[in-house]
Amino acid sequence: MGWHFYLLSLIFISAGIFHLIRPRAFMRIMPLYIPYHRFLVYLSGIAEILAGIGVFFALTRMLSLWAIIGMLVLFFPVHIHMLVDKKASLNFPKFILFFRLFLQFGLLYWTYQYM
């Protein structure tokens, strides 16, 4: 496992921790048609932490990598919502929001490389 592998894990563990520390920021970017914002923010944060840790262990690695891929796919509607809803954009410039959306594809590809 190279340093890229550890960086991928660190990204998801850090994002998960941030979900738990600043849940309101994540609730604000969720589309209104998705119910239970607070619960889902905490659940996704815990899932990100567990998946990030799980990639280090051979027994849980494949499940964790698939979980990361699944979360990245599930988060697409949030990124699109941020693009189309001014309140959800958190006042980020459009080019940053587009970059975040395309970054999802890069993260998907990157994660798949470890399978």
Side-chain angles (χ1 to χ4, degrees):
M1 293 186 292
W3 66 270
H4 296 99
F5 187 79
Y6 296 107
L7 180 60
L8 177 69
S9 178
L10 180 64
I11 287 169
F12 281 89
I13 292 170
S14 299
I17 291 170
F18 195 61
H19 277 70
L20 302 179
I21 293 172
R22 302 290 308 236
R24 288 186 183 178
F26 292 94
M27 290 177 3
R28 184 174 167 194
I29 66 174
M30 290 179 69
L32 295 177
Y33 63 83
I34 297 176
Y36 312 112
H37 287 184
R38 182 178 299 278
F39 172 75
L40 290 175
V41 167
Y42 284 122
L43 180 64
S44 62
I46 291 167
E48 286 177 327
I49 293 167
L50 292 175
I53 293 169
V55 297
F56 288 114
F57 303 99
L59 186 62
T60 57
R61 183 169 300 130
M62 289 304 290
L63 177 62
S64 295
L65 291 170
W66 278 114
I68 289 171
I69 287 173
M71 285 185 282
L72 288 168
V73 170
L74 287 173
F75 296 159
F76 270 110
V78 172
H79 292 286
I80 292 169
H81 179 64
M82 289 180 75
L83 271 168
V84 299
D85 185 288
K86 179 69 176 161
K87 182 179 175 188
S89 74
L90 302 177
N91 296 318
F92 284 118
K94 287 282 188 193
F95 76 92
I96 296 288
L97 298 174
F98 275 109
F99 176 75
R100 287 187 69 216
L101 183 62
F102 287 107
L103 182 64
Q104 293 292 103
F105 290 105
L107 289 171
L108 280 166
Y109 178 77
W110 187 18
T111 303
Y112 186 75
Q113 295 306 303
Y114 293 111
M115 301 181 98

